[in-house]
């Protein structure tokens, strides 16, 4: 399934959930943003210090971030001064202080925040782990889940029972 289909399905589910809530609007309002500009996308990739996974690049080319989950999926514009990228960076520092080696994230592994909740207690990182196929790590609030690609992250955020991600990179 390509990223356009994944995003379309996930957004349709978010919209259905939003309108099904009683009172209406109890769920976060889904917001699809305009696509990221190619120059902004390239600058964000440089900032991350690692190559973007193909699905994440395709996602940002469709929508420069997505609102409607418990986590805001960050886009290029979130890294402007005062944006939620700052909350993502603060969460990264907190994560490094919480011994990520316990789940197999080696010291010095590049972590780049691609999603964060409003209070900065949970997020998703693009990771560049040596020898592991997983490129994304959802962590915080006692959770630790690893995903091979960004499409898997989106599907999991829409319906956690839809897949069984790894909980550790350790064998």
């Amino acid at each position: 399934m390509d990223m356009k289909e994944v995003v379309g399905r996930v957004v349709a589910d978010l919209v259905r959930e939003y309108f099904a809530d009683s009172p209406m609007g109890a769920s976060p309002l889904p917001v699809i943003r305009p696509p990221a500009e190619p120059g902004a996308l390239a600058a964000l990739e440089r900032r991350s210090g690692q190559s973007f996974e193909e699905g994440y690049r395709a996602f940002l080319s469709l929508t420069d971030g997505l609102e409607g989950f418990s986590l805001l999926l960050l886009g290029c514009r979130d890294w402007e001064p005062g944006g939620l990228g700052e909350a993502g960076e603060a969460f990264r520092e907190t994560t490094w202080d919480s011994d990520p080696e316990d789940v197999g994230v080696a010291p010095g592994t590049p972590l780049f925040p691609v999603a964060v909740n409003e209070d900065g207690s949970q997020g998703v990182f693009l990771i560049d782990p040596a020898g592991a196929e997983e490129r994304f790590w959802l962590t915080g609030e006692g959770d630790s889940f690893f995903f091979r690609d960004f499409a898997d992250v989106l599907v999991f955020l829409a319906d956690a029972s839809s897949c069984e991600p790894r909980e550790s990179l350790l064998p």
Side-chain angles (χ1 to χ4, degrees), residues 100-105 146 166-171:
E101 299 90 9
D102 292 346
V103 293
V105 178
F146 292 91
R166 286 178 62 176
E167 294 181 10
S168 173
L169 292 178
L170 299 171

Side-chain angles (χ1 to χ4, degrees), residues 50 53-56 71 73 103 105 114-115 122-129 132-140 143-169:
Q50 55 185 304
E53 182 265 343
E54 181 181 323
Y56 184 56
L71 301 175
L73 300 175
V103 293
V105 178
V114 297
Q122 188 175 37
V124 177
F125 294 106
L126 173 68
I127 60 175
D128 198 0
E133 293 181 11
E134 284 75 9
R135 290 293 315 271
F136 295 92
W137 178 32
L138 185 153
T139 187
D143 292 329
S144 180
F145 300 110
F146 292 91
F147 303 89
R148 188 173 293 213
D149 57 38
F150 193 70
D152 290 342
V153 173
L154 288 175
V155 170
F156 181 82
L157 290 175
D159 178 10
S161 67
S162 64
C163 63
E164 295 182 24
R166 286 178 62 176
E167 294 181 10
S168 173
L169 292 178

Side-chain angles (χ1 to χ4, degrees), residues 59-81:
F59 169 78
L60 292 174
S61 296
L62 293 170
T63 176
D64 188 20
L66 182 62
E67 301 169 36
F69 296 110
S70 58
L71 301 175
L72 169 67
L73 300 175
L74 301 170
C76 298
R77 72 183 198 173
D78 293 303
W79 292 95
E80 295 170 2

